[in-house]
Amino acid sequence: MKKYSFANSITVFCLAALLLAGCSSPNPNGISAEGESMSSGPESASGALKDISETQTENLTQSSEGLFSSKDLDTSWDTSDSVSVVFSDGEAKIAGTNGSAAFREGTLTISKAGTYILSGSLKGSVIVEASKNDFVHLVLNGIEITCENSAPINIRQADKAVITLADSTENKLTDSTEYQYDDPDAEEPSAALFSKDDLSLNGNGSLTIQANHNNGIQSKDDLRISGGSYFITAAKNGIVGKDSLVISNGSFTISSENDAMKSTNDKDEGKGYLIIQGGDYLITSESDGIQAETSLSITGGNFEITTAGGSGNSSSSGKGMWGSAVSSENEVSAKGIKAGQLIQISGGEYLLNTSDDSVHSNGSIEITGGDFQISSGDDGVHADELLTMKDGKMNISQSYEGLEALDIDLEGGTVYISASDDGINAAGGKDNSSMGGRPGQNSFSGSMGSLSISGGYYFVDANGDGLDANGTIDMSGGTVLVNGPEDNGNGVLDYDSSFHISGGVLIAAGSSGMAQAASSESTQNAVMYFLPSTESGTAVRLEKADGTEICSFTPFKKFNCILISSPELVQGDYTIKSGGNIVNADSVKDGLSIGGNYEAEATSVSFSLEDSVTYLDSNGVTQAKGFGGFGGGRGHGGMGMPPDGSFEGKQRKDGMPSGEMPAPPTGEQPPQP
């Protein structure tokens, strides 16, 4: 499978290191290191996993040795100690006595523990009905089974069944659209390869499944896969493990009308989890791609997942849609990676193109690694409770909202976000985005939600609010660059209670109508500069009075407000320049440049920085007026115009500027990672 990674990722980290050099090593360009002080995170973080049992968390952290038994991983067999079954011309040639197999009217019935080697072509089925204490080993050694009225392989009873795909063999199972059940109420078997008890698959051969009736592979107990190549087309779900689904290796190409891979037990404590520790996954599903009823852990693998036609098939009823193929009445969840309680991702490469959220948890999400390329018709990453980002690379090229959760804790990693609404949104409530009128139709309300930033590199392109919290924002480290919004109904910042900044670098450029600055209680200084509507590609440079550069930033969207905060902003005299451009810069990344000359400025404002937040316009220092928003949604930010009416145009009665307004987005693309 093709591997996907960020271009120029080394440049990103090198630039970040240059821009964020520690306080003990003076930086001639004036921007210091990612803050070394670490935030303790949102107050609710400690309780975010309260619904996850100890058994669940132990399951997610187990090694392969703990998750797979020796029988699960054993691909060997001894022909002298096995039963060989060769199918041909409607007959079965059975050899060997260490087992019990009988063939009658197209059905092979296995009724005793042992190893059974199956090959040839059969129009019928294989049924395992052994003792509940028996271990049955099936070796698919180049077999094709087509069943017209039931499952090609139906494991009705055994303590455990292991299926080995013999090396270099091709195996195929095909069922029909209708099944005839012995017990119609049970509706079992419900998959082309079905087991009521523990099932494990291994080996280095291939298995092609055409599941015309229901699911491809299903276990009503635990399902383990440690090898093999699987090509599954399913009328409903691709691979289903009830109590658990654990995969450590293998190659999977799945096309499903419902979910591609899932675990389903939501009643028994410690069950319903899904673990992936490697492998290649090419998934196309009409519903969720990978879905765990409770907890999901991914430590590695290559994933290409498309759900419900991709991000272009979002709801026509939402704002800023990419497409309109999905009806607003659609109640189908079409998420890429989803769990009911917890998602932990520590590695892997992901290409996610989803109609619904690309990564979604009804509880919490923790990302400590991985390389993500995301195009979402709804949220890029969404958690109902806590979203933690500690490391990894992520490029969200399309989304309604980029990162969204009740509490968001950003500790590290490199993330690029392009959002038709909010870039990063901390808001309380449950996400109903897959119900009724997605995307973004979440029942968030009240002064809840917190955003904590203590490290990492975050580039945000937002048509709504850049950073939005229905409560508090706390920044103690990292680098955050925000472009947009361009309309005056949103702001680069939107928070309910407070925004305390004590470290890191924040540069946010956009419209002024609903803009908010940092709170006055912040321990790191900030400058908020209002200027007439300014075209994209126009640079702003902040310097010390002696000409030492603090920062130079060139927004790629129209703006008339820019907020700058850096550890290098201490009390003293400064100059801010606008209307010109940077030439001969030493380095440029995402509009943030180091060095070079500033040419053709139209405005130069000198000022003294004395307060934690200094407000400026083209006439110099001014005062804040009308700040303080409601957070958590479009059009609820605080008003951020300077009080002297220095904007072009007349003032409206509500105090908002009515002069030149930024035009709608022109299709100009943000810098790409």
Side-chain angles (χ1 to χ4, degrees), residues 253-503:
T253 301
I254 301 175
S255 177
S256 63
E257 291 300 314
N258 288 359
D259 300 337
M261 306 175 71
K262 67 190 301 184
S263 60
T264 61
N265 192 333
D266 62 351
K267 300 188 183 327
D268 299 325
E269 184 176 346
K271 304 291 187 181
Y273 61 90
L274 196 158
I275 298 174
I276 297 175
Q277 298 180 331
D280 296 319
Y281 304 82
L282 178 59
I283 290 174
T284 304
S285 65
E286 290 303 311
S287 296
D288 298 326
I290 299 174
Q291 190 259 331
E293 192 64 36
T294 55
S295 303
L296 169 63
S297 170
I298 302 177
T299 59
N302 300 305
F303 302 83
E304 184 173 339
I305 301 175
T306 302
T307 67
S311 60
N313 279 352
S314 187
S315 167
S316 60
S317 67
K319 304 170 185 176
M321 298 320 53
W322 314 115
S324 58
V326 177
S327 166
S328 63
E329 274 118 31
N330 191 344
E331 295 187 0
V332 175
S333 175
K335 298 171 173 64
I337 298 172
K338 173 184 172 184
Q341 296 178 1
L342 172 66
I343 294 176
Q344 292 180 329
I345 298 176
S346 59
E349 297 191 358
Y350 304 83
L351 180 62
L352 307 179
N353 184 13
T354 61
S355 170
D356 204 341
D357 299 345
S358 292
V359 182
H360 173 101
S361 173
N362 292 346
S364 299
I365 297 174
E366 182 180 60
I367 298 174
T368 58
D371 191 332
F372 299 80
Q373 298 286 339
I374 290 175
S375 179
S376 173
D378 199 344
D379 301 334
V381 181
H382 172 97
D384 282 358
E385 295 180 7
L386 173 65
L387 167 60
T388 301
M389 183 88 183
K390 294 185 177 181
D391 202 353
K393 303 173 185 177
M394 186 175 292
N395 178 22
I396 304 174
S397 60
Q398 281 190 179
S399 67
Y400 182 69
E401 291 182 330
L403 305 180
E404 181 177 66
L406 169 62
D407 295 310
I408 301 176
D409 189 3
L410 305 179
E411 301 177 18
T414 301
V415 180
Y416 286 76
I417 297 170
S418 182
S420 61
D421 193 32
D422 301 338
I424 301 175
N425 183 35
K430 298 298 183 182
D431 180 11
N432 297 320
S433 61
S434 68
M435 309 294 288
R438 75 170 185 263
Q441 192 178 54
N442 305 328
S443 56
F444 293 156
S445 62
S447 294
M448 303 171 61
S450 66
L451 170 60
S452 173
I453 306 169
S454 57
Y457 184 95
Y458 293 83
F459 178 91
V460 177
D461 165 24
N463 289 340
D465 300 319
L467 308 182
D468 188 352
N470 264 23
T472 62
I473 303 177
D474 181 271
M475 184 172 179
S476 60
T479 298
V480 178
L481 306 178
V482 178
N483 280 269
E486 292 186 321
D487 69 87
N488 273 332
N490 297 278
V492 291
L493 298 180
D494 184 1
Y495 57 89
D496 248 11
S497 299
S498 65
F499 174 22
H500 184 272
I501 184 165
S502 59

Side-chain angles (χ1 to χ4, degrees), residues 39 41 87 117 155 212 270 291 406 496 539 596:
S39 168
F87 298 102
I117 305 169
I155 302 169
N212 297 304
Q291 190 259 331
L406 169 62
D496 248 11

Side-chain angles (χ1 to χ4, degrees), residues 212-236:
N212 297 304
H213 174 64
N214 201 328
N215 304 322
I217 300 173
Q218 182 175 5
S219 168
K220 297 297 290 291
D221 210 324
D222 293 316
L223 177 57
R224 300 285 188 268
I225 302 175
S226 56
S229 297
Y230 301 85
F231 304 89
I232 300 173
T233 301
K236 291 189 179 177

Side-chain angles (χ1 to χ4, degrees), residues 510-540:
S511 63
S512 62
M514 292 289 181
Q516 292 178 277
S519 299
S520 59
E521 297 81 8
S522 294
T523 54
Q524 177 170 291
N525 296 319
V527 171
M528 194 164 197
Y529 179 43
F530 300 96
L531 62 166
S533 184
T534 303
E535 292 295 326
S536 62
T538 304
V540 174

Side-chain angles (χ1 to χ4, degrees), residues 604-653:
S604 179
V605 179
S606 297
F607 64 98
S608 294
L609 192 154
E610 297 178 355
D611 299 325
S612 59
V613 182
T614 299
Y615 302 97
L616 303 172
D617 62 18
S618 58
N619 296 319
V621 176
T622 184
Q623 295 179 349
K625 180 181 179 181
F627 284 79
F630 298 99
R634 294 183 66 116
H636 295 294
M639 296 182 294
M641 62 155 288
D644 58 4
S646 58
F647 284 97
E648 297 177 356
K650 298 179 180 179
Q651 296 296 112
R652 293 189 339 212
K653 290 183 179 180

